[in-house]
């Protein structure tokens, strides 16, 4: 997309709910990220990573063959530095979220945040073991307090190794150990990338990328993993539940509050506040029939998978929600919040409320959230939203919503596959070994207005399902699939290939598993590690027939995720654009270079068909390396619910022929 051409709503989004609102926005002359992406062409020099603005001798825009910056920095150095800085910013965002969760746990454990409780003591005990916190004979609050301290210490640790690195398979740990990639402390690795990429420091692209890798690993196996674990301890480990997605979850006759951002700390309290009978009565006194809470972005994934709070949509739905005219308050905390929300909301009655100490937006109302009196703040926010209800004007809520089954933590997948006593990944490994499931794809990451919203997510997911590939999803990719109906067993199984369908029907799971928010990509690392431990699929994550992808990515966090996944042994594909396109050397280092070091690699591929082809080729190549049978869909589909239904439709004699190859003597006793 080169800008200038104004796209139709259908070219801008694959979501019918978006079409209606984009038409309205055009007619009303209101700008959105979609329209701004059309009129604001991306800078081609910056897009390829070729603009260095790390000192005031520049910015140096390196556009000619062999050109260097004022200081002499080469294209390869500049591109590697820009990439590493983006990884550090992404890792910092995820990890700071993890740190805040650890401080909330500390406050909850020591009675300073009375509105929070330990909801999953079993998870607390399991992470206490990993963090070396004694548990025998101790009160749960004491353990929680020490777990919080141990977690907080992971951020400031100066030497040694982060403790969660030992959750990786033994062979993976050895690779990191030998190459010196195990992070020492989370903050230290972020700081080191910023230092090394300062003017006049590290000027060897491979060496710069090494620092980015260690920093990213500190995110995936550190900050993000802690964020996930502590959120589960405080708010409950997810297990499947039914909920709804898309803008049709907004209610015309109720006060609508949208929670948008990332940390579950505030949103869980707002959920508690909207259930307060006093506030519901107050809403009635203002003419509303109740209070409706819905999420956007990863806050939505957090509250959807734990509490069933409906999702109003993914990243590019944040402005669309305001365009409905039906949102009394959009409450935001950190990350992925567009500054454009404030001027857009000024055309409606919607109040944008910032709540984080770290995020203020000029023109928004700031009500700072403090976990020590969390519920009081949440009530104040809900009351403001109710007060705003009488100011509502005309509304346009698209009548578009889908049911979803969400909440597949790795603990639940383990349980689903074996029950309470025999929970294990054995059935999943066996299904892959046999070829019923060809492999696994993690489709994650953002929307990007420079491509058609949700279209690539939905295309690749459909193709993988057809090819008997189990799909796990997080972040805005998960919401794209949910909106399309892929997270509902029946709908998705219509698309799924015969082997995958048999397994999903037998186990009772959809073929697309919602595994949470973007910090919950750490759950995927855990699943992959447990699959290795289970046996039969090699000795390392890089042996598993699995691929990760973010086909509509836009955020620096996505680059951090891609980097830690590749360094963990995963083949990662990113769509839309390549931030390292300006350097063949860096492009090769991320691909062949990382493959030689880690068995995983990172590639940027814009063509969706090519993304699918390369992913399937990698899965088949991994199958061949493990000496597993070649994938052959024609072998499957002879069992499972669908086959039973088909057989029951057949006349008796034909059913016998299908089942037994002809009439059998005991036919009369067989069910008709
Ligand atoms: Ni991930 Fe989740 Fe969405 Fe992208 Fe933003 S919400 S943290 S960064 S846009 S997937």
């Amino acid at each position: 997309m080169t800008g200038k051409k104004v796209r139709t709503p259908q070219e801008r989004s694959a979501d019918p709910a978006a079409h209606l609102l984009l038409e309205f926005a055009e007619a009303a002359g209101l700008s959105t990220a979609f329209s701004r992406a059309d009129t604001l062409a991306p800078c081609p020099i910056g897009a390829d990573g070729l603009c260095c603005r790390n000192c005031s001798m520049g910015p140096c825009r390196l556009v000619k063959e062999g050109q260097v910056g004022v200081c002499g920095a080469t294209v390869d150095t500049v591109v590697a530095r820009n990439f590493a800085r983006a990884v550090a910013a992404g890792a910092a965002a995820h990890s700071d979220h993890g740190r805040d969760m650890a401080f909330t746990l500390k406050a909850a454990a020591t009675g300073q945040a009375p509105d929070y409780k330990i909801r999953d003591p079993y998870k607390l005990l399991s992470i206490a073991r990993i963090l070396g916190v004694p548990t025998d004979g101790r009160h749960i609050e004491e353990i929680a307090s020490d777990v919080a301290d141990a977690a907080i210490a992971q951020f400031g640790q100066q030497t040694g190794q982060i403790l969660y690195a030992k959750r990786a398979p033994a062979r993976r740990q050895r690779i990191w150990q030998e190459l010196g990639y195990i992070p020492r402390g989370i903050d230290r690795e972020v700081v080191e990338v910023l230092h090394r990429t300062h003017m006049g420091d590290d000027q060897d692209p491979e060496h710069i990328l090494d620092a980015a890798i260690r920093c990213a690993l500190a995110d995936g196996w550190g900050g993000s993993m802690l964020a996930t674990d502590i959120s589960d301890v405080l708010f409950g480990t997810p297990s499947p539940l039914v909920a709804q997605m898309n803008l049709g979850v907004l209610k015309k006759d109720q006060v609508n509050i949208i929670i948008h951002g990332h940390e579950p700390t505030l949103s869980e309290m707002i959920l508690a506040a909207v259930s307060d009978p006093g506030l519901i009565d107050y809403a009635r006194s203002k003419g509303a029939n109740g209070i409706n809470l819905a999420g956007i972005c990863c806050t939505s994934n957090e509250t959807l998978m734990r509490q069933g709070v409906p999702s109003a949509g993914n990243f590019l739905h944040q402005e669309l929600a305001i365009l409905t005219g039906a949102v009394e308050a959009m409450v935001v905390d950190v990350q992925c919040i567009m500054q454009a929300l404030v001027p857009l909301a000024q055309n409606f009655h919607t109040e944008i409320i910032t709540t984080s100490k770290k995020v203020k937006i000029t023109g928004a109302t700031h009500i700072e959230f403090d976990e020590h009196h969390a519920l009081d703040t949440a009530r104040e926010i809900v009351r403001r939203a109710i007060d705003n209800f009488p100011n509502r004007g005309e509304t346009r809520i698209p009548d578009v919503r889908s049911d979803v089954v969400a909440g597949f933590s790795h603990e639940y997948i383990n349980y689903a596959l074996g029950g309470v006593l025999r929970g294990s990944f054995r059935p999943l490994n066996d299904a892959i070994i046999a070829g019923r499931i060809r492999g696994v794809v993690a489709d994650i990451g953002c929307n990007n207005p420079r491509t058609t919203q949700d279209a690539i997510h939905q295309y690749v997911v459909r193709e993988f399902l057809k090819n008997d590939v189990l799909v796990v999803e997080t972040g805005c990719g998960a919401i794209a699939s949910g909106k399309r109906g892929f997270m509902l067993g029946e709908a998705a199984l219509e698309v799924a290939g015969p082997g995958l369908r048999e397994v999903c029907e037998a186990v009772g799971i959809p073929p697309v598993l919602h595994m949470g928010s973007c910090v919950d990509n750490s759950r995927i690392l855990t699943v992959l590690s447990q699959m290795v431990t289970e046996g039969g699929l090699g000795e390392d994550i890089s042996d598993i027939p699995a691929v990760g992808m973010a086909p509509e990515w836009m955020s620096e966090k996505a680059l951090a995720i891609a980097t830690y996944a590749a360094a963990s042994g995963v083949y990662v594909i990113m769509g839309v654009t390549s931030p390292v396109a300006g350097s063949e050397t860096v492009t090769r280092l991320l691909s062949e270079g990382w493959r030689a070091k880690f068995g995983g690699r990172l590639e940027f591929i814009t063509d969706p068909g090519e993304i699918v082809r390369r992913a399937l080729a990698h899965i088949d190549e991994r199958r061949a390396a493990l000496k597993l049978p070649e994938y052959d869909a024609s072998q499957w589909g002879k069992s499972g619910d669908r086959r039973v239904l088909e057989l029951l439709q057949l006349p008796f004699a034909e059913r016998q022929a299908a089942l037994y190859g002809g009439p059998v003597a005991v036919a009369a006793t067989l069910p008709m």
Side-chain angles (χ1 to χ4, degrees):
M1 184 61 54
T2 53
K4 297 286 184 245
K5 175 184 180 284
V6 174
R7 294 170 297 169
T8 64
Q10 288 70 23
E11 288 171 319
R12 288 174 171 176
S13 175
D15 184 340
H19 299 160
L20 179 91
L21 293 159
L22 289 172
E23 272 161 25
F24 165 74
E26 285 298 302
L30 298 171
S31 91
T32 61
F34 299 90
S35 64
R36 291 187 296 274
D38 285 354
T39 51
L40 187 69
C43 164
I45 303 159
D48 289 353
L50 290 168
C51 176
C52 181
R53 47 184 186 81
N54 292 12
C55 79
S56 68
M57 293 188 289
C60 297
R61 304 183 312 154
L62 308 182
V63 290
K64 294 195 194 112
E65 184 75 35
Q67 199 173 16
V68 296
V70 174
C71 69
T74 63
V75 160
D76 299 337
T77 295
V78 167
V79 169
R81 275 203 304 227
N82 286 335
F83 178 83
R85 281 201 162 200
V87 168
H94 281 150
S95 298
D96 213 27
H97 167 172
R99 182 203 323 269
D100 282 347
M101 297 310 304
F103 275 106
T104 303
L105 178 65
K106 180 72 184 178
T110 51
Q112 292 167 47
D115 300 325
Y116 297 96
K117 303 271 174 288
I118 309 298
R119 293 242 193 108
D120 189 344
Y122 300 103
K123 181 111 186 193
L124 178 72
L125 295 179
S126 78
I127 64 175
R129 270 190 293 280
I130 305 168
L131 293 171
V133 171
T135 55
D136 279 357
R138 304 184 75 202
H139 286 293
I140 213 74
E141 285 75 19
E142 278 180 281
I143 300 169
S145 175
D146 285 358
V147 162
D149 286 340
I152 292 164
Q154 293 294 287
F155 293 88
Q157 188 171 286
Q158 300 301 315
T159 55
Q161 302 181 343
I162 57 165
L163 292 166
Y164 272 6
K166 63 186 174 210
R167 292 174 69 165
R171 180 169 287 185
R172 181 64 20 190
Q173 290 182 50
R174 269 203 306 282
I175 292 172
W176 292 338
Q177 191 82 44
E178 279 162 19
L179 298 170
Y181 287 112
I182 301 192
R184 296 156 293 186
I186 298 163
D187 292 354
R188 179 162 188 187
E189 304 308 344
V190 175
V191 168
E192 185 162 317
V193 171
L194 295 180
H195 178 187
R196 283 209 210 182
T197 55
H198 182 272
M199 189 269 147
D201 278 303
D202 205 356
Q203 289 153 61
D204 175 82
E206 187 171 0
H207 199 240
I208 292 167
L209 293 174
D210 284 347
I213 291 162
R214 203 163 44 226
C215 177
L217 287 171
D219 170 4
W221 297 87
S224 279
M225 207 170 263
L226 285 166
T228 295
D229 281 350
I230 298 173
S231 299
D232 285 354
V233 168
L234 285 171
F235 306 117
T237 301
S239 58
L241 43 71
V242 180
Q244 288 197 314
M245 277 184 184
N246 218 335
L247 289 160
V249 304
L250 297 176
K251 301 229 164 75
K252 195 174 167 61
D253 60 345
Q254 296 194 15
V255 174
N256 289 305
I257 301 175
I258 295 239
I259 39 179
H260 170 26
H262 282 76
E263 296 177 355
T265 335
L266 167 71
S267 46
E268 289 275 345
M269 286 302 122
I270 297 208
L271 175 61
V274 298
S275 319
D276 179 331
L279 284 169
I280 295 171
D281 282 348
Y282 185 57
R284 293 219 171 89
S285 77
K286 299 282 177 180
N289 258 337
I291 314 168
N292 181 41
L293 188 66
I296 293 239
C297 281
C298 279
T299 285
S300 181
N301 287 315
E302 298 273 357
T303 49
L304 174 95
M305 68 174 173
R306 291 200 180 86
Q307 322 292 356
V309 173
S311 172
N314 43 9
F315 176 67
L316 284 175
H317 268 32
Q318 57 188 286
E319 291 172 296
L320 304 183
I322 292 173
L323 287 165
T324 65
V327 176
E328 275 59 52
M330 184 175 275
V331 187
V332 305
D333 55 9
V334 293
Q335 301 168 26
C336 302
I337 302 149
M338 292 189 199
Q339 187 163 1
L341 293 178
V342 173
L344 182 64
Q346 280 161 1
N347 296 284
F348 303 87
H349 74 307
T350 307
E351 184 170 28
I352 307 292
I353 303 175
T354 51
T355 58
S356 167
K357 288 182 180 65
K358 296 165 200 161
V359 175
K360 279 193 177 185
I361 305 177
T362 308
T365 305
H366 189 71
I367 302 178
E368 202 152 289
F369 177 72
D370 179 348
E371 69 265 26
H372 299 97
H373 35 84
L375 202 47
D376 290 344
T377 316
R379 283 202 193 98
E380 182 191 342
I381 290 170
V382 172
R383 185 171 277 272
R384 276 185 87 93
I386 296 168
D387 285 336
N388 200 13
F389 181 75
N391 299 326
R392 192 191 275 188
E394 200 188 323
T395 62
R396 54 205 74 74
I397 302 173
D399 188 18
V400 182
R401 70 193 75 75
S402 307
D403 287 339
V404 297
V405 177
F408 289 90
S409 54
H410 56 265
E411 288 89 345
Y412 183 81
I413 297 173
N414 203 37
Y415 162 76
L417 293 173
V420 175
L421 299 177
R422 279 177 299 181
S424 87
F425 280 79
R426 191 74 256 155
L428 174 60
N429 282 22
D430 284 346
I432 295 173
I433 290 166
R436 268 197 171 83
I437 293 180
R438 186 172 180 175
V440 181
V441 159
D443 173 65
I444 67 141
C446 325
N447 290 142
N448 187 321
R450 298 213 176 271
T451 184
T452 309
Q453 181 195 16
D454 295 346
I456 313 181
H457 282 301
Q458 292 172 358
Y459 167 77
V460 298
V461 168
R462 177 179 285 272
E463 289 304 305
F464 292 130
L465 293 184
K466 280 199 297 202
N467 280 281
D468 290 298
V469 173
L470 179 72
V471 179
V472 297
E473 295 200 287
T474 59
C476 292
I479 300 175
S481 280
K483 288 192 290 177
R484 185 68 185 75
F486 287 149
M487 283 174 175
L488 209 57
E490 303 86 315
L493 288 170
E494 282 303 310
V495 182
L500 177 63
R501 207 167 54 218
E502 279 178 357
V503 174
C504 291
E505 284 171 350
V507 179
I509 53 172
V512 182
L513 302 180
H514 185 303
M515 291 193 70
S517 63
C518 287
V519 292
D520 293 334
N521 286 309
S522 62
R523 294 190 203 276
I524 301 175
L525 295 178
T526 307
V527 167
L528 293 169
S529 302
Q530 292 189 353
M531 286 170 74
V532 172
T533 311
E534 190 58 49
L537 290 175
E539 289 181 30
D540 199 352
I541 292 171
S542 53
D543 295 329
I544 299 175
V547 179
M549 59 188 59
E552 298 182 25
W553 76 282
M554 62 84 199
S555 149
E556 291 168 313
K557 290 177 288 176
L559 291 178
I561 295 165
T563 301
Y564 73 63
S568 302
V570 179
Y571 175 27
V572 182
I573 303 173
M574 309 281 276
V576 189
T577 185
S578 166
V580 296
S583 165
E584 272 175 36
T585 304
V586 173
T587 302
R588 206 172 42 248
L589 281 170
L590 300 188
S591 177
E592 291 160 34
W594 286 6
R595 185 168 207 183
K597 282 181 182 172
F598 304 112
R601 63 194 195 274
L602 170 55
E603 288 175 356
F604 294 88
I605 302 170
T606 49
D607 174 39
E610 186 61 14
I611 291 176
V612 172
R613 274 191 294 283
R614 295 235 203 141
L616 291 177
H618 178 78
I619 284 171
D620 290 343
E621 182 210 284
R622 292 291 86 196
R623 292 189 65 84
L626 289 166
K627 305 207 176 355
L628 301 181
E630 210 170 302
Y631 166 70
D632 175 9
S634 69
Q635 284 193 53
W636 312 114
K638 299 179 184 65
S639 70
D641 298 354
R642 177 175 302 243
R643 182 63 180 150
V644 171
L645 289 174
E646 277 170 15
L647 285 170
L648 287 173
Q649 304 294 322
L650 294 175
F652 185 66
E654 281 180 43
R655 196 188 320 154
Q656 277 194 309
L659 282 170
Y660 312 111
V664 291
V666 290
T669 66
L670 292 175
M672 297 294 288

